[in-house]
Amino acid sequence: MITPDWCPGCGDYGILTALKMALKELGIPPEKSVVVSGIGCSAKTVHYIDAYGVHTLHGRPLAIAQGIKLANPDLNVVAVAGDGDALGIGAGHFVGAGRRNVDLLYLVFDNEVYGMTKGQASPTLALGARPKSLPRPNIQGKVNPLLMALAAGFTFIARGFAFDVQGLKTLIKKGIEHQGLAIIDVLQPCPTYNDLHTRAYYAERTYDLAETGYDPELPAEADAALVASKMASFTAKALEWEPRIPVGIFWQQRLPTFEARLAELDPNYTRLPPAKRPASRDLGPLLAEHRL
């Protein structure tokens, strides 16, 4: 593997370490894991981990990751992207993926700037904020990744802090174990371009939701009143920022995965997914044989 070359003090090191620890503790062999990235500082992750890696295009890691998982459901698939990759150019794929609930984990490296291209404002930088990389305050409003994920349909929604490696490792393990589409928005300080939300800033403000008695689970049999109550609690916590920032699991819902829905349409899908079917140029007999 290549030695990481992120800037000294970058939060990406903590995320990489937490991901490696999570995969190790879950006992997932390298040949059973695929990490998919887009473009940007976070995209280098695939080169620094002992697993299959696919370094794709800007805004496209989630699209490619879904294809890999649906082609071979036996694989553990983790997509990684920066906040601009995920919520800017990749926003359309973000929403589309939420509708499907494919069983994979999306790790968003959220530092509020485009670190690889000199620190322009990303979709998660607040209106009026001015990190040292900007000549004037940001004139666009921010996207809240957690609220956007709930609206899109993600069934596991969490936030972590890059320098709380143990806590982030635990979140990653739970996100991988969740049956469905999981997202972890990782607060990831950029020491080179963002002097507003530093490691010290987050360390002084973050607190664990679990320690407050917050319950992220939405029961499958929940009625309308319970759903409304849960969504109100989620929204309040997702919007909370000053003086304290919650981290942990905000939302978890058990719904059929896209793979399960495909299996209902094609009885052979689970036994013989696309990646394990014989290649053939003559698609007619192939489709007939496998009842697609």
Side-chain angles (χ1 to χ4, degrees):
M1 290 183 291
I2 304 171
T3 301
D5 65 349
W6 291 307
C7 299
C10 177
D12 288 2
Y13 289 100
I15 302 173
L16 174 64
T17 300
L19 177 57
K20 286 182 174 181
M21 292 169 64
L23 293 174
K24 177 67 174 179
E25 291 185 12
L26 288 172
I28 302 174
E31 66 273 15
K32 288 293 185 179
S33 283
V34 183
V35 182
V36 185
S37 71
I39 296 297
C41 299
S42 64
K44 298 180 179 181
T45 303
V46 301
H47 302 283
Y48 306 148
I49 193 164
D50 187 14
Y52 286 111
V54 185
H55 194 154
T56 71
L57 303 174
H58 199 198
R60 305 298 182 262
L62 193 51
I64 303 300
Q66 290 176 92
I68 292 170
K69 182 67 178 184
L70 294 176
N72 189 351
D74 292 337
L75 295 173
N76 169 59
V77 180
V78 178
V80 300
D83 41 8
D85 213 355
L87 302 164
I89 189 172
H93 292 301
F94 188 101
V95 174
R99 296 173 56 222
R100 299 185 189 98
N101 196 35
V102 175
D103 183 23
L104 60 86
L105 172 62
Y106 200 21
L107 280 178
V108 178
F109 294 45
D110 188 352
N111 61 15
E112 305 173 315
V113 294
Y114 287 89
M116 184 163 278
T117 54
K118 310 307 179 188
Q120 301 92 332
S122 86
T124 57
L125 185 67
L127 175 67
R130 186 187 176 189
K132 63 182 179 180
S133 58
L134 297 187
R136 58 184 66 85
N138 183 28
I139 62 171
Q140 299 189 77
K142 68 176 291 183
V143 170
N144 185 307
L146 307 182
L147 293 176
M148 187 169 170
L150 182 65
F154 284 68
T155 52
F156 179 101
I157 302 171
R159 177 194 283 150
F161 173 39
F163 285 101
D164 176 14
V165 176
Q166 289 294 331
L168 181 56
K169 174 203 70 177
T170 299
L171 287 178
I172 292 174
K173 288 173 65 177
K174 291 181 178 178
I176 290 174
E177 291 174 328
H178 173 76
Q179 295 296 303
L181 184 58
I183 182 173
I184 303 175
D185 179 48
V186 186
L187 304 175
Q188 180 254 307
C190 175
T192 302
Y193 295 116
N194 190 342
D195 57 340
L196 300 180
H197 297 144
T198 61
R199 176 177 182 174
Y201 174 91
Y202 287 127
E204 292 170 0
R205 290 167 174 78
T206 52
Y207 72 94
D208 188 352
L209 269 177
E211 295 179 355
T212 69
Y214 178 87
D215 181 10
E217 187 79 26
L218 180 67
E221 67 281 1
D223 58 22
L226 180 56
V227 172
S229 175
K230 286 285 189 181
M231 291 183 71
S233 297
F234 168 89
T235 301
K237 289 300 182 183
L239 290 172
E240 185 179 347
W241 192 263
E242 290 284 2
R244 303 178 72 208
I245 304 171
V247 296
I249 302 173
F250 287 70
W251 185 268
Q252 188 163 16
Q253 188 175 10
R254 315 290 177 173
L255 292 175
T257 64
F258 197 64
E259 297 92 309
R261 296 177 221 164
L262 286 176
E264 290 181 357
L265 295 175
D266 174 15
N268 288 308
Y269 177 74
T270 302
R271 180 181 63 84
L272 202 63
K276 298 179 180 180
R277 296 178 182 180
S280 173
R281 293 183 179 276
D282 184 1
L283 293 180
L286 179 64
L287 294 179
E289 178 185 351
H290 299 296
R291 299 173 60 190
L292 288 177

